[in-house]
Amino acid sequence: MNNKPSRAGNLGFYALILLLVVGTLFMLNQPRERDELVYSDIRRMFEQEQVREVRVVGEDLFLMIEDPASIYGELTEVRYELRSFGLFFDDFNDIIAEQFRAGIITEYDYVRGWQAPVWLQFIPYVLIVGFFIFIWFAVINRAQGGGDRGGMRYGKIKPRLGSEMEKKVLFSDVAGADEEKEELQEIVEYLKDPSRYTELGARIPTGVILVGPPGTGKTLIAKAVAGEAGVQFLSISGSDFVELYVGVGASRVRDLFDQAKKSAPCIIFIDEIDAVGRQRGAGMGGGHDEREQTLNQLLVEMDGFGTNTGVIVMAATNRKDILDNALLRPGRFDRQVYVGLPDVRGREAILKVHARGKPLGDDVDLGSIARGTPGFTGADLENMLNEAALLSARRNLRFITMSEMEEAVLKVMMGPEKKSRVITDKERKLTAYHEAGHAVAAKYLDNVDPVHQITIIPRGGAGGMTVYRPQEDRSYRSKSEMFERIVTAMGGRVAEKLFMNDISTGALGDIQQATGIARAMVMQYGMSDKIGPISFDSSSGAVFIGRDFAQTKAYSEKVAAEIDEEVKRIFDEAMALGERILTDHTDIMQKTAEYLLENEVMDGNVFDYLCEHGEIPTESLNKASMFERLEQTPQEEQVEAEQLEEIEEGE
């Protein structure tokens, strides 16, 4: 598409500029009208030495005066009607009066100071013409994509260069992604020695797209590839291509690849490529949409008529489902690398990387922390360590201890504690029984993680919370596990109904969580005997303006009613089981709630002791750590117990 203005358009623009200049000059040269003068005005002009020439014609006095608003000595003629010559003659000397009577044109002789030369009068006009010329060149330059200053060129793009980074990123700085680094090692080797591959007739992948949840380190991995290969790294966001004006995005794509070819070998990294790579034909603009033109140009540059020797395109997204199929085909993004959540070993390696430069206490065990933080991304772990460091600094500590680590984990998960929030006695009591219901229901179920802590101190948007101690990473959930999660989630609502004879809005989050699990069991995972192993989830996760209008359900109204019945049945069974558990352990429920009302926080060790012995321990127990005992297998615990018995017998 040609974005240069036409010749006729240029002539029209020149004519408009000329018309504006001529009009401005004409307005400046118009004589200025003055109001009728009175005698006091004439007297003031003489006193201020503004009068340069005077003459009398009949009963009219004409004065050539110097304009006080002008610094260039411009003269203006004014007229005054003389009603009484006598009054005027009394005020001025006889010589002037004689000259007035004769009607002779004369100069009024003043002692005149410096007067600006005549050529200075043209300076305002020159400045005005120069201003219009500057505006003209600026508009033409921007319309044609010119102007390098400040990166304001519409048709150009300024990527963030790797040389601007403070530190060179290597694979050693990327932890918890061993398989991903192996996949990208070929790219590094090709950029270092391309002849090694071309001699064998191998074609290196044109593009690599990194797919995965937010915070898993996709951008960091791309930087590490460039750092390992020692090549230029051109980084840009997908939204940088999108502009209001049609054709600008396509022009920026061309400019980006032109810059990359000049810097080859190099890596182009497009972060959040879904901003420009969405499926075509899904918007309201049809084929003339600016976003689609940008995508078309990107497709051509990656695998079109030209060649991009030595240029590797890397991209990152967490919405692969909405990308255009043409973008993902071989020849463009040949290789797709999934960057998922790190496992326990990956989390430990990530913690070691981010713990560099942080003074850790002797009680800090990064392996135990890794086992106690399943589901955390690399960004979450980095944020957790930073929060722990901030807490230690706030408490004037020299080291980061395990206590700060544990509190930082809870802060990242649920937000900071809000101990200053004013809560009524009724709300505190209801919250205590609600959280006790969660804990007791979880205690007497087989597939729920053990309770680590119960608190009625508000944290984040929750009035209280029950924290569980995860035992291991889970990639899959069984039907019984998902059902027991519903029972645990609804334990708070059941406790409110049984022990407070009332229900509250505090169970909103629990109901939403339980509903989502139950509906997923029926519609996605086929865990309903009545419905069968059929997936009725028709949503692809992609949100488009045009497509969703025509989207219909993939099942009939009769099946929809059966799905609702199954979800209701699962809820009823879960509520019944939760009510039975809490009723059978009423004494534990009441003592747990009373302890919370008195102490606000109940530790997992205290809760376990209460459930086993039926009473609160008289002696204080050591605070249970979220990360304790997670690394020990039952066999290791048995060996440790036997060793303790031998020590006691020896004593």
Side-chain angles (χ1 to χ4, degrees):
M1 177 178 178
N2 187 8
N3 293 325
K4 294 184 179 180
S6 63
R7 186 176 183 86
N10 282 334
L11 293 176
F13 187 80
Y14 300 154
L16 178 62
I17 293 296
L18 182 61
L19 181 62
L20 290 175
V21 173
V22 172
T24 303
L25 295 176
F26 179 76
M27 292 176 61
L28 291 174
N29 286 318
Q30 287 293 316
R32 286 165 288 186
E33 296 182 358
R34 292 180 175 268
D35 297 335
E36 185 177 354
L37 298 177
V38 296
Y39 183 73
S40 59
D41 295 329
I42 302 298
R43 185 186 182 101
R44 176 177 49 77
M45 293 176 186
F46 275 93
E47 291 174 351
Q48 295 180 358
E49 300 184 354
Q50 292 180 255
V51 180
R52 294 290 171 260
E53 296 180 6
V54 294
R55 62 190 178 91
V56 178
V57 179
E59 293 186 357
D60 293 329
L61 175 66
F62 294 91
L63 305 178
M64 296 295 293
I65 65 170
E66 181 180 346
D67 190 352
S70 172
I71 62 173
Y72 307 111
E74 295 180 358
L75 299 178
T76 304
E77 185 179 64
V78 296
R79 171 181 170 276
Y80 175 67
E81 184 178 354
L82 294 175
R83 301 289 185 184
S84 173
F85 276 86
L87 179 63
F88 187 82
F89 296 152
D90 292 341
D91 284 344
F92 298 97
N93 57 64
D94 295 336
I95 297 176
I96 299 299
E98 289 288 336
Q99 294 174 350
F100 280 148
R101 288 192 187 96
I104 302 173
I105 301 176
T106 182
E107 287 189 2
Y108 192 76
D109 190 15
Y110 295 120
V111 180
R112 306 185 65 180
W114 179 86
Q115 189 162 352
V118 178
W119 61 268
L120 286 179
Q121 300 179 14
F122 296 96
I123 289 182
Y125 306 107
V126 173
L127 292 177
I128 292 174
V129 173
F131 173 75
F132 279 107
I133 293 176
F134 171 77
I135 295 296
W136 167 47
F137 275 109
V139 172
I140 292 296
N141 201 24
R142 298 185 75 177
Q144 294 181 348
D148 292 337
R149 292 188 176 183
M152 292 299 294
R153 300 173 298 173
Y154 281 119
K156 304 294 181 180
I157 197 163
K158 186 178 181 181
R160 293 170 287 278
L161 301 178
S163 59
E164 298 175 359
M165 300 176 189
E166 297 180 359
K167 180 183 177 183
K168 188 177 182 180
V169 181
L170 301 174
F171 276 159
S172 58
D173 300 315
V174 181
D178 296 336
E179 291 78 7
E180 291 82 351
K181 290 188 287 187
E182 290 179 3
E183 284 286 321
L184 298 171
Q185 187 64 38
E186 291 180 0
I187 306 295
V188 175
E189 297 296 334
Y190 170 77
L191 291 172
K192 288 182 177 180
D193 186 15
S195 61
R196 173 183 165 190
Y197 293 86
T198 56
E199 290 176 356
L200 296 174
R203 181 182 62 83
I204 202 67
T206 307
V208 178
I209 185 167
L210 305 175
V211 183
T216 51
K218 298 183 290 295
T219 303
L220 186 66
I221 291 175
K223 293 179 181 178
V225 172
E228 289 286 338
V231 298
Q232 187 67 271
F233 184 73
L234 307 180
S235 175
I236 194 167
S237 174
S239 59
D240 291 338
F241 294 109
V242 182
E243 188 56 67
L244 173 65
Y245 303 105
V246 177
V248 172
S251 177
R252 289 179 176 177
V253 172
R254 288 191 295 270
D255 182 66
L256 175 63
F257 277 85
D258 288 341
Q259 295 183 45
K261 292 173 186 177
K262 295 176 183 178
S263 304
C266 71
I267 290 177
I268 296 176
F269 177 67
I270 306 175
D271 198 9
E272 304 296 343
I273 194 174
D274 50 272
V276 70
R278 289 172 177 256
Q279 295 180 15
R280 290 168 291 181
M284 299 298 287
H288 298 285
D289 187 21
E290 163 66 6
R291 193 188 307 272
E292 294 192 3
Q293 294 189 29
T294 306
L295 174 58
N296 291 337
Q297 185 62 43
L298 180 61
L299 297 176
V300 170
E301 292 291 342
M302 291 190 66
D303 186 23
F305 300 103
T307 58
N308 298 320
T309 305
V311 178
I312 302 295
V313 182
M314 298 187 68
T317 181
N318 50 24
R319 295 297 307 275
K320 176 191 169 185
D321 55 318
I322 67 175
L323 295 180
D324 193 87
N325 293 330
L327 196 64
L328 301 176
R329 75 160 177 83
R332 292 195 175 108
F333 283 110
D334 306 82
R335 185 166 297 180
Q336 300 179 22
V337 179
Y338 181 77
V339 185
L341 298 175
D343 57 9
V344 59
R345 289 184 299 178
R347 292 195 297 273
E348 183 177 359
I350 293 172
L351 287 170
K352 289 180 180 179
V353 170
H354 292 301
R356 297 172 185 172
K358 292 182 175 64
L360 302 181
D362 296 336
D363 61 338
V364 175
D365 185 358
L366 296 181
S368 298
I369 296 174
R371 281 182 283 269
T373 52
F376 274 46
T377 65
D380 292 332
L381 294 172
E382 190 276 334
N383 187 32
M384 184 269 292
L385 280 171
N386 185 63
E387 289 291 345
L390 293 175
L391 288 171
S392 301
R394 190 181 305 167
R395 297 170 181 175
N396 296 321
L397 301 177
R398 297 177 58 190
F399 302 97
I400 302 174
T401 66
M402 204 69 168
S403 176
E404 281 70 44
M405 288 285 191
E406 183 175 344
E407 187 170 346
V409 171
L410 296 178
K411 188 174 182 180
V412 170
M413 292 171 57
M414 296 295 296
E417 290 184 344
K418 298 182 179 180
K419 296 183 179 181
S420 61
R421 180 182 294 179
V422 179
I423 304 175
T424 63
D425 294 337
K426 182 178 179 181
E427 288 180 348
R428 290 184 77 252
K429 185 176 181 180
L430 188 142
T431 304
Y433 275 101
H434 182 100
E435 299 303 331
H438 287 309
V440 173
K443 178 66 178 179
Y444 296 99
L445 292 171
D446 298 329
N447 299 293
V448 180
D449 293 327
V451 176
H452 161 65
Q453 186 186 84
I454 315 168
T455 177
I456 59 173
I457 299 175
R459 184 183 287 272
M465 63 182 300
T466 301
V467 184
Y468 303 97
R469 184 190 301 125
Q471 299 296 299
E472 58 187 357
D473 290 350
R474 293 188 179 95
S475 300
Y476 304 100
R477 297 262 181 195
S478 65
K479 180 180 178 180
S480 58
E481 289 176 346
M482 298 184 72
F483 179 75
E484 291 185 2
R485 287 180 63 189
I486 298 175
V487 177
T488 305
M490 298 305 297
R493 166 56 66 89
V494 174
E496 293 178 8
K497 182 179 179 181
L498 290 178
F499 297 93
M500 296 294 295
N501 197 26
D502 197 1
I503 56 177
S504 70
T505 59
L508 173 62
D510 301 328
I511 295 173
Q512 291 176 340
Q513 178 187 4
T515 303
I517 296 173
R519 192 163 288 276
M521 290 175 64
V522 177
M523 298 183 64
Q524 296 180 24
Y525 305 125
M527 293 181 178
S528 170
D529 296 333
K530 182 178 180 180
I531 301 297
I534 305 175
S535 176
F536 296 100
D537 186 18
S538 58
S539 62
S540 61
V543 179
F544 292 116
I545 297 177
R547 177 176 301 175
D548 286 351
F549 286 142
Q551 191 176 45
T552 58
K553 294 181 179 179
Y555 47 89
S556 64
E557 294 297 330
K558 179 181 178 182
V559 175
E562 292 178 351
I563 291 174
D564 294 338
E565 291 176 0
E566 282 297 288
V567 172
K568 180 67 165 55
R569 179 189 61 79
I570 293 174
F571 255 79
D572 292 341
E573 292 179 0
M575 294 285 286
L577 178 58
E579 186 172 346
R580 186 164 60 252
I581 293 174
L582 300 189
T583 303
D584 293 342
H585 302 88
T586 301
D587 185 53
I588 303 297
M589 277 287 305
Q590 292 177 344
K591 290 181 179 180
T592 302
E594 291 171 0
Y595 187 93
L596 289 172
L597 289 172
E598 182 179 353
N599 300 280
E600 292 187 332
V601 179
M602 188 175 196
D603 192 70
N605 283 345
V606 177
F607 179 71
D608 291 340
Y609 187 93
L610 172 62
C611 293
E612 293 175 6
H613 300 86
E615 59 182 3
I616 302 294
T618 55
E619 298 180 359
S620 61
L621 300 177
N622 293 331
K623 184 178 183 293
S625 172
M626 182 182 295
F627 317 112
E628 281 181 0
R629 294 176 291 178
L630 298 178
E631 64 274 10
Q632 291 184 336
T633 63
Q635 292 79 8
E636 292 173 337
E637 293 180 353
Q638 184 177 358
V639 171
E640 182 179 355
E642 292 175 355
Q643 292 175 349
L644 291 175
E645 290 179 0
E646 293 177 359
I647 294 174
E648 292 175 356
E649 291 176 358
E651 293 177 352

